[in-house]
Amino acid sequence: MSARTCDRAMEEAEQGVMMSEELFLTIDVGTGSVRAALVDRRGKVFAISLREHEQIVPQFGWSEQRPADWWSGVVAAIRDVLAKEPDACGRISAVAACGQMHGTVLVDDRGNLARDTAPLWNDKRTVAHVKAFEKAHRPETYLADSANPAAPAWPGFKLQWLRDMDPGAWRRAAAVLMPKDWINLKLTGEIAMDRTEGGASFLMDPRTGEWSDRMIGLLGLDKANLAPLRNPVEILGHVNAAAARETGLREGTPVLVGGGDYPMALLGSGVCRPGIGSEVMGTSAIITAIAEKPLLDAAVSNVGTVEGNWGAFMLLESGGDAMRWARRAFHEKQVSYEEIVAKAAEAPAGSDRLFFMPYLAGERLGDHRNARAQFFGIGAAHGLAHMHRAVLEGVAFAVKRHIDILDRISGTPLQRVIASGGGAKTKLWMKIKASVYGIPILVPAEAECGIVGCAAMAAAATGLYSTVEDAAEAYVTYAEEIMPDPAWVEVYRPMQAVFEKLYFHSQSLYDDLDGLPS
């Protein structure tokens, strides 16, 4: 669809020839694909298209992508969804994008890429910079200025690496953007970063919502390279002529500043008020509690939310990955996950006092990133069903440990958890988790939470709702509510205390284990 065709359709609509409901166009720049979707005023996702892209792994621990691939995917996905709905381009009242967080894009003073690839959120090349920072600075000396403990994911450390290891690109760079910011730049010609991304950069002062001179100084960076910080719901600019020609969108269509994919998914699952938590059950298990201010603790990370709160989160590296490990280790991938869950259901709650510590990939933060997994309590009567159920329960105990830490620091215990991701489809696991946590778990009816969040943001930006919270309340519904099983709760409560003891007593052995000859 050409820009001229779109303009003609717009003229006909204005003349009353074609009167249709307005739409929102949402864009999600993910790690595996770019998705574009059309969402109506009621929050219904009715047209979606995706284009996959690959990760580049130049060496072990590195992970990059080409921002040019994101843009070509966005163009193709937008054109595809526009073709699925009559007069779609003329009915779009706003474009709202979200994207994978922490991917660090360098652009020059003309808005062109200063470096062809961008290191991603899961890139570990910054480990040496993180260790050097941790050696020089204790968390209590900088948490108030950064909102987060040091970690390889943060763009602040990625910029240190780019400065030291790719000085040519660093000299050419005039601005640093995140993935969705690059898409917004291509759409509008405007440069900005939103505060959900800024708050997870290790460079933004959480008290002011502006760049932190102290953190920039500690990392030896240049504030002039950092894009202006804006709120996600603001109008960044409008689709320019070049972008209209490429995408088929109407020139002049408003484009929002947008936000990171995780904060947007929080909004799009209804997690936008204190007392409500989110658990994303994918390869990892991320538990998030909404708070008015960041929770400053060396074990906790924080991300700004779309509505202006903070999401304090803790990540278990092996969530769904624990089940993937069990399928490989016990069955050499010859059985399905459904069969593993069915086998686990044969064992009683508590797996007859068998424990599984699910630290297959260590821990993200803290002094024991070299943690390991283990079974504890194996007896002659235990069989495969017990071991499979213990894996599911062990992940639940580990996440419950994180919930207790967040509850203690925030002073506002979670009242319910909204679950999303692939693990939320496993009914037995959901019932185990609700019973371990001791609170209900809700599952959103629409799995595309990030897209719903973008639509809620657009609805607020265009005046359809007064706040993003009101829009989310209208748009988000739940397919089911899983209540704790009272009998299981009584089994799991004392087991949680034993799990905590196992967690702490095991820590003294990890360094010894690493010291053994390989």
Side-chain angles (χ1 to χ4, degrees):
M1 182 182 300
S2 68
R4 180 177 297 177
T5 302
C6 188
D7 289 340
R8 184 163 56 249
M10 201 47 196
E11 291 172 5
E12 292 173 348
E14 290 171 353
Q15 296 168 2
V17 176
M18 189 178 299
M19 298 296 291
S20 301
E21 184 181 48
E22 70 180 38
L23 304 170
F24 305 124
L25 173 68
T26 67
I27 301 168
D28 185 348
V29 185
T31 309
S33 66
V34 164
R35 290 174 295 167
L38 294 174
V39 186
D40 67 20
R41 289 166 58 93
R42 292 172 294 278
K44 180 184 177 183
V45 180
F46 66 90
I48 189 167
S49 178
L50 68 83
R51 293 295 185 275
E52 294 184 347
H53 45 243
E54 298 295 328
Q55 291 187 55
I56 303 165
V57 184
Q59 62 188 66
F60 177 77
W62 292 28
S63 179
E64 300 181 333
Q65 284 178 338
R66 296 183 182 89
D69 291 344
W70 301 334
W71 175 243
S72 62
V74 165
V75 168
I78 289 176
R79 285 191 165 275
D80 194 36
V81 293
L82 292 181
K84 293 178 180 179
E85 182 67 15
D87 186 36
C89 62
R91 294 160 56 196
I92 294 170
S93 59
V95 178
C98 65
Q100 53 173 304
M101 301 185 73
H102 317 319
T104 308
V105 183
L106 300 183
V107 297
D108 63 21
D109 56 5
R110 301 197 314 183
N112 297 319
L113 291 170
R115 191 172 191 270
D116 290 339
T117 59
L120 302 185
W121 59 274
N122 56 348
D123 187 287
K124 299 293 195 300
R125 74 184 68 187
T126 60
V127 167
H129 289 84
V130 173
K131 288 183 177 179
F133 185 89
E134 289 177 320
K135 185 176 180 180
H137 306 283
R138 295 295 301 167
E140 59 271 16
T141 67
Y142 66 81
L143 279 173
D145 299 293
S146 68
N148 282 297
W154 307 139
F157 292 109
K158 289 177 167 55
L159 292 178
Q160 280 192 314
W161 188 94
L162 291 165
R163 176 200 65 198
D164 297 343
M165 306 305 293
D166 195 346
W170 184 252
R171 283 192 300 270
R172 292 190 295 273
V176 178
L177 302 175
M178 298 297 105
K180 67 95 180 48
D181 303 325
W182 162 251
I183 299 304
N184 285 342
L185 171 61
K186 295 290 288 182
L187 287 170
T188 68
E190 300 291 335
I191 287 178
M193 187 187 302
D194 80 285
R195 288 185 170 87
T196 71
E197 296 274 17
S201 69
F202 207 63
L203 297 172
M204 191 188 88
D205 187 330
R207 296 160 295 200
T208 65
E210 300 297 338
W211 295 120
S212 168
D213 290 329
R214 181 163 187 265
M215 296 310 300
I216 292 168
L218 288 178
L219 295 184
L221 301 174
D222 187 348
K223 187 176 181 179
N225 286 342
L226 301 178
L229 286 167
R230 298 182 61 178
N231 289 327
V233 186
E234 293 178 10
I235 301 297
L236 171 67
H238 299 81
V239 174
N240 60 30
R245 286 192 298 271
E246 284 196 74
T247 63
L249 291 170
R250 175 173 56 88
E251 184 177 351
T253 303
V255 178
L256 275 61
V257 173
D261 58 355
Y262 188 50
M264 207 64 68
L266 292 176
L267 178 66
S269 59
V271 182
C272 52
R273 302 181 192 277
I276 302 176
S278 163
E279 184 179 1
V280 178
M281 300 166 62
T283 299
S284 60
I286 309 174
I287 191 76
T288 306
I290 301 300
E292 294 181 357
K293 297 179 180 180
L295 304 186
L296 303 181
D297 188 282
V300 177
S301 299
N302 293 276
V303 63
T305 62
V306 178
E307 76 281 356
N309 288 311
W310 285 82
F313 67 94
M314 298 183 72
L315 184 146
L316 177 68
E317 296 275 10
S318 298
D321 206 38
M323 190 185 292
R324 186 177 296 113
W325 167 81
R327 179 171 177 257
R328 175 179 56 81
F330 291 111
H331 304 285
E332 297 183 341
K333 301 182 182 180
Q334 298 304 303
V335 303
S336 68
Y337 291 114
E338 291 76 14
E339 290 174 291
I340 290 174
V341 173
K343 191 68 176 177
E346 297 175 6
S351 304
D352 286 331
R353 295 180 291 184
L354 176 62
F355 288 85
F356 177 70
M357 308 297 289
Y359 302 102
L360 292 158
E363 294 199 79
R364 174 67 61 92
L365 298 173
D367 296 329
H368 296 284
R369 291 175 174 144
N370 61 340
R372 302 294 180 88
Q374 61 178 297
F375 283 100
F376 178 81
I378 296 176
H382 287 119
L384 189 59
H386 296 90
M387 301 188 85
H388 282 336
R389 184 171 186 126
V391 168
L392 302 181
E393 292 172 339
V395 170
F397 288 137
V399 175
K400 169 61 172 171
R401 181 178 173 275
H402 289 169
I403 291 174
D404 289 343
I405 292 172
L406 294 172
D407 285 353
R408 173 178 54 80
I409 299 172
S410 70
T412 304
L414 291 183
Q415 300 165 2
R416 62 180 60 87
V417 168
I418 314 300
S420 59
K425 301 174 184 177
T426 305
K427 299 298 178 64
L428 175 63
W429 209 353
M430 296 289 287
K431 185 177 177 182
I432 288 171
K433 289 194 169 196
S435 302
V436 169
Y437 304 165
I439 52 179
I441 295 178
L442 286 83
V443 180
E446 174 55 68
E448 295 286 355
C449 297
I451 286 173
V452 173
C454 285
M457 187 174 60
T462 56
L464 187 59
Y465 292 92
S466 58
T467 67
V468 290
E469 296 97 316
D470 290 343
E473 186 173 350
Y475 284 2
V476 179
T477 59
Y478 300 102
E480 60 180 326
E481 182 179 26
I482 298 93
M483 300 299 294
D485 184 302
W488 291 11
V489 169
E490 293 306 310
V491 172
Y492 291 140
R493 186 180 293 117
M495 289 187 72
Q496 183 72 43
V498 176
F499 182 92
E500 297 289 340
K501 290 182 179 179
L502 284 170
Y503 178 85
F504 286 108
H505 289 310
S506 297
Q507 289 179 347
S508 63
L509 299 174
Y510 295 139
D511 290 341
D512 292 340
L513 187 62
D514 287 345
L516 293 174
S518 57

